[in-house]
Amino acid sequence: MNELWSDMGPALWPAYWTTLKLTFFSAIGSLVWGTILAAFRVSPVPVMRAFGTGYVTIVRNTPLTLIVIFCSIGLYQNLGLTLAPENENFVENNNFWLAVLGFVLYTSTFVCETLRSGFNTVPLGQAEAARSLGLGFGRVFGLVVLPQAARSVIGPMGSVLIALTKNTTIASAIGVAEASLLMKEQIENHADQIIAIFAIIAVGFMIITLAEGYVFGWLARRLAVRR
């Protein structure tokens, strides 16, 4: 056990720091793109509604592993898409941002559907009153519907974030050095300590996800819309 910890211990923080960065940047991107998709889903423009519905239906039902590998092989290796500057760490940095792109494309569909469920909590009369004052769809959506819907789905958004955190383990499929890749490497080097390795990695993820759940639970209680 001492040999395992001396080998694995120093690598834990860098691996989990990568996991946290993947989660943070993917969450920001997913929130932005997911909100846009939610606006498309309820837009009065048929083309936008069709795009939003088609995108969510297709991407949400596609395995995340395929999306991440597509970003690496399809977008980078075949189409030459690069998301990092050309330097000595190009491959590592580019794989990181390609993984973030894959997570954003996938997780935004769940953000969209979570927000769309929140739209149903906003009284219909408020949107009608805003339209009667001459406000267009964009202003009704941004000023009246979205702020209330977002406050009503803080708890479910926490569940989406927790799922995203666990999904970051898939980034190891394209060589991103996060926690699950460390686990695979340690299993190869210490095959007789598999249970201990699993336990160490699991505890790390439990700490992160429990903290996220606590924060979002607190925010949900503080910011809940009073009816």
Side-chain angles (χ1 to χ4, degrees), residues 18-211:
T18 300
T19 295
L20 290 171
K21 289 192 295 182
L22 281 171
T23 302
F24 176 78
F25 290 114
S26 299
I28 297 299
S30 298
L31 182 61
V32 173
W33 182 226
T35 302
I36 294 173
L37 286 174
F40 282 4
R41 293 295 303 271
V42 298
S43 170
V45 181
V47 174
M48 299 176 95
R49 285 202 310 272
F51 173 81
T53 301
Y55 180 94
V56 170
T57 301
I58 293 171
V59 175
R60 189 174 58 167
N61 291 287
T62 301
L64 177 56
T65 304
L66 292 182
I67 295 175
V68 172
I69 292 177
F70 167 77
C71 289
S72 176
I73 297 177
L75 298 182
Y76 169 56
Q77 296 183 22
N78 290 338
L79 300 180
L81 175 66
T82 58
L83 302 176
E86 297 278 354
N87 54 35
E88 65 276 7
N89 296 319
F90 168 72
V91 174
E92 179 182 347
N93 292 335
N94 197 53
N95 284 342
F96 175 88
W97 290 111
L98 287 170
V100 169
L101 175 61
F103 294 140
V104 169
L105 294 176
Y106 181 78
T107 307
S108 60
T109 62
F110 294 91
V111 172
C112 169
E113 292 302 277
T114 301
L115 279 175
R116 202 161 68 94
S117 69
F119 296 160
N120 295 327
T121 67
V122 180
L124 184 61
Q126 293 191 17
E128 293 177 344
R131 283 193 293 268
S132 70
L133 293 175
L135 299 182
F137 171 76
R139 298 184 69 184
V140 172
F141 179 81
L143 299 177
V144 178
V145 178
L146 182 60
Q148 296 184 71
R151 290 175 64 182
S152 68
V153 297
I154 291 175
M157 281 295 185
S159 298
V160 174
L161 179 63
I162 289 172
L164 170 61
T165 302
K166 293 184 288 186
N167 285 340
T168 57
T169 57
I170 294 175
S172 64
I174 60 173
V176 178
E178 44 74 59
S180 69
L181 186 61
L182 173 63
M183 180 182 70
K184 295 175 183 177
E185 294 172 349
Q186 293 303 315
I187 288 175
E188 292 175 359
N189 297 332
H190 304 279
D192 58 331
Q193 302 281 347
I194 291 179
I195 295 178
I197 295 170
F198 273 119
I200 292 171
I201 297 298
V203 167
F205 274 99
M206 285 179 61
I207 292 172
I208 295 173
T209 55
L210 288 174

